[in-house]
Amino acid sequence: MHAIGIDIGGTKIAGGLVDELGGIARFERVPTDATDGAAIEDAIVAMIELLADGERMPVGVAAPGFIDAGQSTVYYTPNIPWRNEPLRERLEARLGLSIVVDNDANAAGWAEFRFGAGRLVSDMVMLTSGTGVGGAVIAGDRLLRGGFGVAGELGHMRIVPDGILCGCGARGCIEQYGSGRALQRMANAIADAGGIGRGLAAERAQAGGELHGAAIGRLIQQGDAGAVAALAELGSWLGQACASLSVVLDPQLFVIGGGVADAGDRLLGPVRRAYLDHLPARGFHPEPVFATAELGNEAGVVGAADLARLHDDPSYAAFAPRG
């Protein structure tokens, strides 16, 4: 049975018709203006109607921000003017279909658990390192949502007392040390210092004054010492965060996703080393596996669809193949 998954981003909406094995039979993407909540709702409705093509099927919508435990209301989303928005109710009234709403990082993490890097484990933590840091927690084969529905905001776990000010209002969040923006800051600082940053400095001069993600990624793939050092610094912060999460959640697997994860083992190596350096009772605590995400930018669409299917039939996950 197909289900529809919708993934709302800051500049686009992606949607897909997804089968029970996580395969996408049809994929669509449209640009959006994040400042216009009504226009985004209209775009979601239009995409669902296009993908459904007159058929009745479950629909999952993945949105950034805080979603209530009932998978219905968007409490808050940072880049879209939705505050306590009854999104599920509004969409169901317009479409006459069964809709569930979930956090976008939860949807991506669920997709990796069901069909990607986590398909052989029962307990998994996913950290997505992109513009910010997102997260999802799978505990005992279940997505952890918490009492109010907003668990898994791992990017706002504080790791540096009185550290860098975060957009959430706190200081020292992992988002300020483990995101793509943090990598840019670290790479530019290394370029300023000279030495191993000579390649970064040359690339920055060519770019007109500041290094951006694509250039840093290219230098990392080329093995530039300065770019690799910046990546190692970012990886060390993610590893420290994973050590703290391990004490609380005891996952078998950590999955690192987002654009920074394209660096593969160049990122995972520093993450593992820092994890072990900061793990309490090292040598006696079982060590989890570290892996990069497998589903890429389509994970949110796949996960949203699968969560909608599960909401319609709670027994589905027990019988549907994983991977």
Side-chain angles (χ1 to χ4, degrees), residues 211-305:
L211 285 159
H212 295 287
I216 298 168
R218 184 170 60 254
L219 288 169
I220 289 169
Q221 295 300 331
Q222 293 170 359
D224 176 83
V228 171
L231 183 70
E233 182 181 353
L234 179 142
S236 72
W237 287 113
L238 288 177
Q240 289 182 53
C242 289
S244 295
L245 289 166
S246 219
V247 173
V248 179
L249 298 169
D250 191 29
Q252 300 151 299
L253 171 70
F254 282 98
V255 176
I256 310 297
V260 174
D262 291 343
D265 284 338
R266 283 194 170 102
L267 173 64
L268 293 184
V271 172
R272 289 190 194 99
R273 288 192 293 272
Y275 173 86
L276 292 173
D277 286 345
H278 292 85
L279 180 67
R282 178 178 175 179
F284 299 95
H285 191 293
E287 296 174 12
V289 174
F290 288 83
T292 53
E294 295 180 3
L295 301 183
N297 293 330
E298 297 174 349
V301 168
V302 172

Side-chain angles (χ1 to χ4, degrees), residues 168-179:
C168 72
R171 289 186 177 272
C173 296
I174 185 60
E175 181 163 300
Q176 298 306 309
Y177 299 86
S179 65

Side-chain angles (χ1 to χ4, degrees), residues 7 66 82 88 191 203 205 232 272 321:
D7 187 13
F66 298 161
W82 285 339
R88 176 178 171 182
E203 186 75 33
R272 289 190 194 99

Side-chain angles (χ1 to χ4, degrees), residues 123-144:
D123 290 72
M124 178 195 102
V125 171
M126 181 169 171
L127 286 163
T128 57
S129 178
T131 304
V133 173
V137 177
I138 309 296
D141 292 317
R142 292 179 177 270
L143 180 62
L144 180 66

